[in-house]
């Protein structure tokens, strides 16, 4: 066999531009895509991968991930997190800086990158904090973190309550061409809330978080970005009001991007049922009408990015009363298959949405080259078999935690291999 | 005792999950227990050899005593598990507590906790029957049962009768459970309280009123006053206790109207005289507060009688 020459034969190639899949063979040589064409002849000595019935899609990129290292290695490590990513067809991660300690200086950021270089089979980018210790008071060491390659700044998980602090951060970060990724929540309104405010929260006697808590903060933060000219990215949208506000500002020409997590498209507050803490996340799961609005905005292109908000927690922590249990749902192992099962297979949107929003756009936002399946490009794609199924057992999932509603569920479709630079990171 | 045509449950966690037939069965079962109190020997041997553990993470002398008396009268052995009520007890420690309880092989656990859903969590992890004696803002099912029993004593036919619940609808587990049981018994439910304490997320069956005039014009048969939690005032849900009394309390003037129309008065206790209720209302002959206390024991006996720990399930 000729080393490094692999022909993916008979599959259908997905692109970000069209929902139509194209029946093309893909020849990989020396880590690059050498040829893409229908019915390619098999080069002598090449390894042939039978892709009949399968979809070849550019590998995904997740710009919102909590790897918990350093500090909470009982929940997740960079090693397990990156393996969960590969398991889910993701070959690039941006890690959130809300670790212990928080990543708020160039030195700390470098220490995470050093771990990643040793432990991860995929490239890792580490985001930096906006403020020291995520306290919302003093600016973090922004220039130092930029110097170590921070793709964005975020106080992830917390909004910056003081508008003046945020305004200064925007003005400062702008000169380093750093995007600010913001979690939008008006703390005074969300208070001790643990789920969406409404009839379900009333029935369960759990303090609620109203949708306006998100929308008011989004509106404030976009106005500040408009005023300062900063690059702003709104994280994990959850409400119809929130996405409507972003749309309104986008139509007015303001430079703002946003993301949605699969769980905010798939689940509602109703599924909390009798205190199922697997559905406890912040921002909270809201109503079917909110899911519908988010889904429509995603299909129409108002939402730029899909990101998992992968937030691992131990079984012990989640096995607590609803108010005390931590917020968060894991997502790296499950994102592609769950979105395929619920939306692509059912025709709600095509593979183009998945490729554009979970592969190409997040890379562009983080100033990383997209990886379309094109001649001359990097061989960085996944092979997806719609005719197989995935059983999300604890054993299957590579994340150290399995706090996801998909635990022990079987969904249609399976990622059968993940290729990066000519090497199989995964081959089932 | 009453016939056992209604299958026992393991736990009593809320009112919502009870069927009308189960509620009727519990109310019917409580009747003979109450009659027992008139006898010189008030005890029956039903739960002889069984153990009841009371576990109160929030201080409550009244409810705990009521459960203890109920269990004693059924001949059960009652133990009070002393838990720290001073500090906020985090949910994490609960799972460890459950392990301890499981090892004690108690048959019934009566629990009150400041966090909604804790009794359900315990019920899931233990073979003992769990009786929710109040959890967070969520539920207080035995209070609802005793309230329903009390209403049935004055109105044997509850269909279309009206109950007006007055006060903090937002934070009250009593409002949640009692409104639901009355609704299940065919009553109409009205609520009255400050706008900041009557939430948008209330169930559709609650008719909301914002002043006494409108509420009394709705012609309620029973007025159920909730206890004002003093700390709410500090959180600025309303400006002052004096203003609360003036606008939402049962003042002397309103009490005269209530008395004139012969409406019944209820309260889960303990009352704040001069805040939600004036003194003179306490001695009104249609004030059912003391009856509620007595009925609490009978209905809690009915609940203990009906529930079956997992090991005793046929």
């Amino acid at each position: 066999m000729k080393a490094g020459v692999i022909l993916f034969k008979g599959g259908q190639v997905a692109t970000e531009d069209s929902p139509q899949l194209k029946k093309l063979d893909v020849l990989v040589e020396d880590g690059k895509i050498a040829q893409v064409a229908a019915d390619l002849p098999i080069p002598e000595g090449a390894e042939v991968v039978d892709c009949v019935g399968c979809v070849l899609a550019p590998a995904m990129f997740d710009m919102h991930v909590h790897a918990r290292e350093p500090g909470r290695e009982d929940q997740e490590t960079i090693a397990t997190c990156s393996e969960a990513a590969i398991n889910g067809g993701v070959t690039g991660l941006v890690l959130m800086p809300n670790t212990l300690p928080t990543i708020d200086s160039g030195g700390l950021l470098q220490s995470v990158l050093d771990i990643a270089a040793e432990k991860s089979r995929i490239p890792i980018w580490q985001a930096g904090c906006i403020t020291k210790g995520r306290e919302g008071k003093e600016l973090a060491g922004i220039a130092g973190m930029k110097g170590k390659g921070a793709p964005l700044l975020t106080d992830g998980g917390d909004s910056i309550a003081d508008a003046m602090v945020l305004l200064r951060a925007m003005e400062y970060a702008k000169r380093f061409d750093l995007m600010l990724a913001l979690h939008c929540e008006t703390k005074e309104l969300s208070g001790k809330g643990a789920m969406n405010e409404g009839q379900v929260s009333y029935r369960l006697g759990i303090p609620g978080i109203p949708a306006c808590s998100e929308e008011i903060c989004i509106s404030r933060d976009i106005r500040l970005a408009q005023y300062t000219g900063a690059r702003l990215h709104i994280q994990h949208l959850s409400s119809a009001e929130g996405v409507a506000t972003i749309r309104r500002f986008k139509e007015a020409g303001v430079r703002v991007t946003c993301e949605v997590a699969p769980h905010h498209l798939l689940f509602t507050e109703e599924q909390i049922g009798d205190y199922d803490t697997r559905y406890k996340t912040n921002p909270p799961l809201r109503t079917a009408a909110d899911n519908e609005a988010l889904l429509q905005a995603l299909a129409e292109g108002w939402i730029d990015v899909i990101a998992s908000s992968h937030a691992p927690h131990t079984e012990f922590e989640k096995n607590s009363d609803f108010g005390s249990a931590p917020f968060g749902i894991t997502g790296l192992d499950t994102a592609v298959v769950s979105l395929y099962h619920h939306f692509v297979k059912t025709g709600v949107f095509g593979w183009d949405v998945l490729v554009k929003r979970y592969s190409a756009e997040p890379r562009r936002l983080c100033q990383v080259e997209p990886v379309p399946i094109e001649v001359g490009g990097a061989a960085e794609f996944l092979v997806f078999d719609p005719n197989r199924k995935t059983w999300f057992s604890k054993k299957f999932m590579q994340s150290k935690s399995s706090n996801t509603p998909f635990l022990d569920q079987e969904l249609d479709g399976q990622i059968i291999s993940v290729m990066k630079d000519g090497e199989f990171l995964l081959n089932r | 005792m009453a016939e056992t045509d209604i299958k026992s449950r393991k736990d009593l966690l809320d009112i919502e999950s009870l069927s009308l037939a189960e509620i009727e069965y519990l109310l019917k079962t409580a009747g003979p227990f109450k009659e027992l109190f008139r006898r010189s020997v008030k005890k029956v041997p039903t739960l002889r050899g069984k153990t009841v553990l009371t576990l109160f993470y929030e201080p409550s002398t009244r409810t705990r005593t009521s459960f203890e008396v109920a269990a004693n009268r059924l001949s059960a052995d009652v133990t009070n598990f002393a838990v720290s009520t001073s500090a906020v007890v985090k949910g994490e420690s609960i799972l460890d507590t459950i392990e301890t309880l499981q090892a004690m092989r108690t048959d019934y656990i009566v629990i009150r906790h400041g966090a909604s859903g804790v009794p359900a969590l315990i019920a899931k992890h233990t073979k003992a029957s769990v009786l929710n004696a109040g959890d967070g803002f969520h539920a207080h099912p035995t209070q609802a049962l005793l309230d329903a029993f009390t209403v049935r004593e004055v109105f044997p036919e509850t269909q279309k009768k009206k109950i007006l619940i007055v006060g903090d609808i937002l934070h009250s587990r009593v409002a949640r459970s009692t409104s639901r049981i009355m609704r299940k018994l065919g009553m109409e439910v009205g609520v009255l309280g400050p706008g900041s304490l009557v939430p948008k997320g209330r169930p559709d069956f609650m008719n909301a009123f914002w002043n006494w005039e409108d509420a009394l014009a709705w012609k309620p048969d029973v007025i159920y006053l909730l206890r004002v939690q003093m700390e709410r005032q500090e959180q600025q849900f309303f400006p002052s206790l004096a203003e609360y009394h003036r606008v939402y309390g049962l003042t002397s003037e309103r009490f005269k109207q209530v008395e004139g129309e012969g409406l019944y008065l209820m309260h889960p206790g303990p009352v704040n005289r001069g805040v939600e209720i004036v003194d003179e209302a306490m001695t009104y002959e249609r004030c059912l507060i003391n009856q509620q206390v007595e009925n609490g024991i009978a209905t809690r006996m009915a609940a203990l009688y009906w529930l079956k720990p997992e090991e005793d399930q046929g």
Side-chain angles (χ1 to χ4, degrees):
Chain A
M1 220 183 274
K2 195 172 158 191
V5 181
I6 311 163
L7 180 64
F8 293 82
K9 198 151 185 52
Q12 312 231 65
V13 173
T15 63
E16 64 174 312
D17 305 314
S18 163
Q20 293 307 117
L21 299 172
K22 293 192 193 96
K23 196 169 176 305
L24 295 167
D25 295 345
V26 177
L27 182 70
V28 173
E29 247 182 69
D30 301 325
K32 298 265 185 213
I33 294 172
Q35 287 189 66
V36 180
D39 301 319
L40 279 174
I42 302 172
E44 200 183 327
E47 179 184 352
V48 180
V49 179
D50 179 9
C51 295
V52 174
C54 293
V55 177
L56 275 65
M60 304 301 163
F61 185 94
D62 203 315
M63 63 179 284
H64 191 154
V65 171
H66 301 273
R68 307 297 190 208
E69 188 171 358
R72 286 305 304 270
E73 290 85 353
D74 57 325
Q75 296 172 328
E76 189 82 290
T77 63
I78 288 172
T80 54
C81 187
S82 57
E83 289 305 312
I86 292 166
N87 203 27
V90 179
T91 56
L93 299 177
V94 179
L95 305 186
M96 296 296 105
N98 59 338
T99 46
L100 294 171
T102 51
I103 308 304
D104 56 8
S105 70
L108 281 166
L109 200 142
Q110 184 60 49
S111 69
V112 178
L113 296 180
D114 290 345
I115 300 171
E118 193 186 328
K119 303 281 186 189
S120 172
R121 296 195 287 148
I122 55 172
I124 301 273
W125 285 262
Q126 174 63 54
C129 280
I130 300 170
T131 65
K132 277 182 196 158
R134 294 170 59 242
E135 286 176 350
K137 291 176 188 150
E138 299 168 56
L139 293 183
I142 290 173
M145 295 189 290
K146 171 73 181 181
K148 299 294 182 188
L152 55 89
L153 297 178
T154 178
D155 270 6
D158 261 319
S159 51
I160 294 175
D162 188 327
M164 185 52 98
V165 171
L166 183 56
L167 183 138
R168 294 225 173 95
M170 284 178 170
E171 286 174 330
Y172 193 85
K174 186 184 156 190
R175 300 304 168 197
F176 293 89
D177 193 28
L178 271 170
M179 172 169 71
L180 296 192
L182 301 181
H183 164 94
C184 289
E185 171 181 357
T186 312
K187 285 281 185 185
E188 297 87 343
L189 294 175
S190 48
K192 289 183 182 144
M195 62 180 290
N196 185 43
E197 183 181 76
Q199 289 204 337
V200 183
S201 71
Y202 184 79
R203 175 173 68 77
L204 293 174
I206 296 290
I209 301 172
C212 65
S213 161
E214 171 173 278
E215 194 276 330
I216 288 167
C217 193
I218 288 175
S219 184
R220 182 199 71 164
D221 292 358
I222 298 179
R223 279 157 195 264
L224 290 172
Q226 189 176 20
Y227 178 67
T228 57
R231 212 145 60 87
L232 175 63
H233 176 76
I234 307 289
Q235 297 180 305
H236 48 212
L237 277 170
S238 71
S239 68
E241 292 92 328
V243 73
T245 294
I246 290 174
R247 177 177 173 161
R248 187 159 49 82
F249 280 104
K250 279 190 166 193
E251 282 172 334
V254 182
R255 192 162 66 143
V256 57
T257 56
C258 61
E259 74 190 31
V260 68
H263 50 258
H264 286 122
L265 299 169
L266 289 164
F267 307 123
T268 70
E269 56 178 358
E270 301 282 347
Q271 279 154 306
I272 291 167
D274 282 320
Y275 306 105
D276 190 338
T277 59
R278 291 177 307 167
Y279 293 94
K280 182 177 175 181
T281 181
N282 188 19
L285 302 174
R286 300 194 190 273
T287 67
D290 289 294
N291 293 8
E292 191 52 45
L294 291 168
L295 201 52
Q296 198 184 336
L298 180 68
E300 290 175 3
W302 298 106
I303 293 177
D304 303 85
V305 165
I306 294 168
S308 69
S309 290
H310 179 78
H313 290 286
T314 66
E315 203 172 333
F316 180 76
E317 291 174 291
K318 276 287 192 183
N319 209 350
S320 182
D321 68 279
F322 199 85
S324 308
F327 291 104
I329 296 176
T330 55
L332 282 171
D333 285 290
T334 57
V336 168
V337 174
S338 64
L339 292 171
Y340 170 80
H341 177 99
H342 287 280
F343 301 127
V344 178
K345 187 189 76 180
T346 55
V348 175
F349 56 67
W351 273 98
D352 55 321
V353 170
L354 212 49
V355 171
K356 184 166 184 149
R357 303 303 171 187
Y358 198 26
S359 176
E361 281 297 306
R363 281 188 171 87
R364 287 188 191 107
L365 284 185
C366 297
Q367 299 176 328
V368 176
E369 279 293 308
V371 291
I373 302 174
E374 288 171 4
V375 174
E380 193 164 345
F381 54 85
L382 58 90
V383 183
F384 184 91
D385 188 345
N387 299 311
R388 289 208 213 174
K389 289 174 189 293
T390 305
W391 175 257
F392 288 107
S393 63
K394 263 185 204 165
K395 188 164 176 281
F396 175 85
M397 291 190 279
Q398 298 299 307
S399 171
K400 202 164 186 179
S401 298
S402 45
N403 48 300
T404 164
F406 292 118
L407 177 65
D408 290 330
Q409 273 196 36
E410 190 176 59
L411 300 185
D412 290 336
Q414 190 181 58
I415 296 165
I416 56 171
S417 48
V418 176
M419 157 125 316
K420 181 164 164 34
D421 303 329
E423 272 184 56
F424 283 105
L425 297 179
L426 174 82
N427 208 353
R428 279 192 241 276
Chain B
M1 290 296 111
E3 64 278 13
T4 49
D5 52 347
I6 297 285
K7 197 177 175 301
S8 288
R9 277 180 186 251
K10 179 177 160 291
D11 310 299
L12 177 61
L13 301 174
D14 56 35
I15 290 299
E16 207 178 358
S17 54
L18 294 181
S19 68
L20 179 60
E22 287 172 320
I23 291 167
E24 294 286 8
Y25 171 78
L26 283 164
L27 297 178
K28 200 164 101 184
T29 307
F33 283 130
K34 190 176 178 182
E35 280 162 30
L36 194 69
F37 305 165
R38 308 276 175 269
R39 299 197 209 148
S40 59
V41 177
K42 299 177 177 62
K43 239 174 163 169
V44 290
T46 316
L47 295 187
R48 183 177 292 155
K50 298 284 179 190
T51 51
V52 176
L53 196 76
T54 61
L55 187 58
F56 277 61
Y57 286 87
E58 278 185 342
S60 160
T61 316
R62 299 161 63 103
T63 305
R64 203 183 68 208
T65 307
S66 179
F67 268 108
E68 284 172 359
V69 172
N72 280 326
R73 288 186 183 170
L74 291 168
S75 303
D77 296 317
V78 188
T79 310
N80 173 29
F81 190 93
V83 285
S84 162
T85 50
S86 53
V88 176
V89 183
K90 291 285 286 178
E92 282 94 317
S93 66
I94 299 244
L95 282 176
D96 297 331
T97 308
I98 294 171
E99 293 294 319
T100 313
L101 299 181
Q102 194 61 28
M104 289 179 184
R105 303 187 70 83
T106 180
D107 300 295
Y108 299 86
I109 296 170
V110 177
I111 177 167
R112 167 167 292 193
H113 198 283
S116 303
V118 167
L121 185 69
I122 292 183
K124 210 164 74 182
H125 289 94
T126 176
K127 288 177 173 157
S129 282
V130 174
L131 289 92
N132 180 3
D135 64 326
F137 306 150
H138 172 233
H140 195 353
T142 58
Q143 177 72 44
L145 284 165
L146 77 89
D147 289 338
F149 187 88
T150 307
V151 168
R152 274 285 170 83
E153 284 186 318
V154 295
F155 296 116
E157 180 49 75
T158 40
Q159 281 294 332
K160 301 286 172 206
K161 290 286 184 239
K162 292 177 177 176
I163 185 166
L164 175 71
I165 302 175
V166 184
D168 182 351
I169 307 301
L170 174 61
H171 302 102
S172 173
R173 56 192 172 216
V174 176
R176 281 176 180 77
S177 288
T178 294
S179 67
R180 224 165 254 289
I181 202 167
M182 299 306 175
R183 182 67 187 164
K184 288 196 178 200
L185 294 175
M187 292 180 75
E188 288 180 45
V189 177
V191 294
L192 163 64
S196 50
L197 290 172
V198 180
K200 277 167 73 171
R202 64 184 181 270
D204 296 328
F205 68 76
M206 286 183 179
N207 304 294
F209 300 99
W210 309 105
N211 60 64
W212 273 97
E213 291 64 36
D214 291 347
L216 288 174
W218 178 65
K219 296 283 173 205
D221 300 287
V222 179
I223 293 173
Y224 194 107
L225 302 168
L226 295 169
R227 175 177 164 78
V228 171
Q229 303 289 324
M230 294 301 184
E231 69 272 17
R232 304 283 176 239
Q233 197 259 320
E234 289 157 27
Q235 293 169 29
Q236 285 294 311
F237 281 94
F238 50 87
S240 66
L241 291 172
E243 180 160 320
Y244 184 93
H245 180 66
R246 202 166 69 241
V247 184
Y248 303 103
L250 186 70
T251 55
S252 294
E253 194 184 48
R254 292 181 190 126
F255 172 60
K256 282 194 191 83
Q257 191 182 345
V258 164
E259 194 179 24
E261 293 178 19
L263 311 183
Y264 288 92
L265 279 185
M266 294 174 71
H267 190 296
V271 299
N272 298 302
R273 290 176 186 239
V275 183
E276 66 263 11
I277 190 166
V278 287
D279 264 359
E280 59 259 42
M282 297 297 291
T283 50
Y284 169 47
E285 64 163 357
R286 290 194 166 186
C287 176
L288 304 173
I289 296 176
N290 289 334
Q291 248 164 281
Q292 283 173 275
V293 176
E294 189 179 5
N295 294 340
I297 298 168
T299 44
R300 286 174 178 125
M301 285 172 80
L304 283 165
Y305 172 82
W306 180 52
L307 298 179
K308 289 274 179 294
E310 197 174 297
E311 282 164 3
D312 296 351
Q313 299 265 5

